[in-house]
Amino acid sequence: MLIEGYDLEILTPPCEPGAERYFAKAHLPEDISEVLPYLNGTLSGASFMPAAKALTWEKDGHRVAFHAVEIDLGTIESREWAEQQMDELIELINRTWDRREELTPDFETIQRLTPMAVYQRLPKTNCGQCGESTCFNFGLKLVMSQKELKDCPPLFEPQYGENLSALEADLIAAGHAGG
Ligand code: SF4
């Protein structure tokens, strides 16, 4: 067994304090980077980003992002529900790690929407209103479903109308629910 426990953190979007929409983050006691290629080889629809040590996947319609020492789960229903989902994800990690000798790791990056592609359509002012220090970081988080287009207020200014429409289309094509 690789992971025996975790600390669960429940977050609301930084731009919406007190919002009804919640995200969950499991802080892990061990680095799971070495498991990610095995998960990439077994999980249908997973998207692996080796350089970022991150893998995204959709579990029952909810976006999951595996990082080296944390797991993010999008749009949760309650703390109890999030705990149950995280327990299942930890079990998946441990089961995959235990079976690694019979599995084939997949190091290929299959990512339909890249952070750079998003960045190219952003205002590129690094204004920080989204809570990120750079537009590129925002693009990275957007691709991993940790940010939404509406978290970037300048994008809704008239001069960026075409960029916004293009990004909305990109996200739908990439299978992200909404923008
Ligand atoms: S709010 Fe938009 S323009 Fe400002 S840093 Fe974030 S992504 Fe860039």
Side-chain angles (χ1 to χ4, degrees):
M1 181 181 292
L2 183 64
I3 303 294
E4 293 198 18
Y6 59 88
D7 291 325
L8 186 68
E9 184 181 3
I10 306 295
L11 306 132
T12 54
C15 57
E16 296 176 61
E20 292 290 315
R21 234 158 24 93
Y22 297 101
F23 300 87
K25 189 183 287 287
H27 299 277
L28 308 177
E30 302 288 342
D31 188 327
I32 63 166
S33 301
E34 288 186 38
V35 192
L36 300 185
Y38 293 97
L39 290 172
N40 192 37
T42 54
L43 296 179
S44 174
S47 180
F48 186 33
M49 288 160 272
K53 292 185 178 177
L55 180 133
T56 59
W57 181 53
E58 193 163 305
K59 181 180 189 295
D60 302 329
H62 296 263
R63 296 290 287 187
V64 178
F66 297 94
H67 301 274
V69 290
E70 67 182 46
I71 304 170
D72 297 332
L73 179 62
T75 322
I76 66 168
E77 296 168 14
S78 67
R79 186 179 185 94
E80 292 71 28
W81 181 87
E83 278 175 352
Q84 182 189 336
Q85 297 298 315
M86 287 298 186
D87 287 348
E88 291 178 11
L89 291 169
I90 296 293
E91 193 183 319
L92 171 66
I93 291 168
N94 285 333
R95 202 169 54 237
T96 303
W97 183 246
D98 289 346
R99 293 180 53 229
R100 65 190 180 283
E101 289 187 3
E102 55 191 89
L103 299 174
T104 304
D106 183 353
F107 294 88
E108 189 178 354
T109 303
I110 300 174
Q111 193 181 337
R112 287 165 289 186
L113 184 61
T114 65
M116 183 53 77
V118 173
Y119 172 76
Q120 295 296 349
R121 299 193 193 280
L122 292 173
K124 302 193 193 83
T125 58
N126 300 330
C127 71
Q129 291 181 59
C130 57
E132 298 299 319
S133 56
T134 65
C135 293
F136 186 82
N137 280 353
F138 176 84
L140 187 60
K141 296 264 177 94
L142 188 81
V143 165
M144 295 196 294
S145 299
Q146 295 173 359
K147 291 283 182 186
E148 296 182 40
L149 290 177
K150 63 186 176 56
D151 296 328
C152 170
L155 198 52
F156 292 81
E157 294 171 5
Q159 68 266 39
Y160 297 116
E162 280 188 23
N163 300 42
L164 177 60
S165 300
L167 278 168
E168 286 172 339
D170 287 345
L171 287 171
I172 290 168
H176 292 243

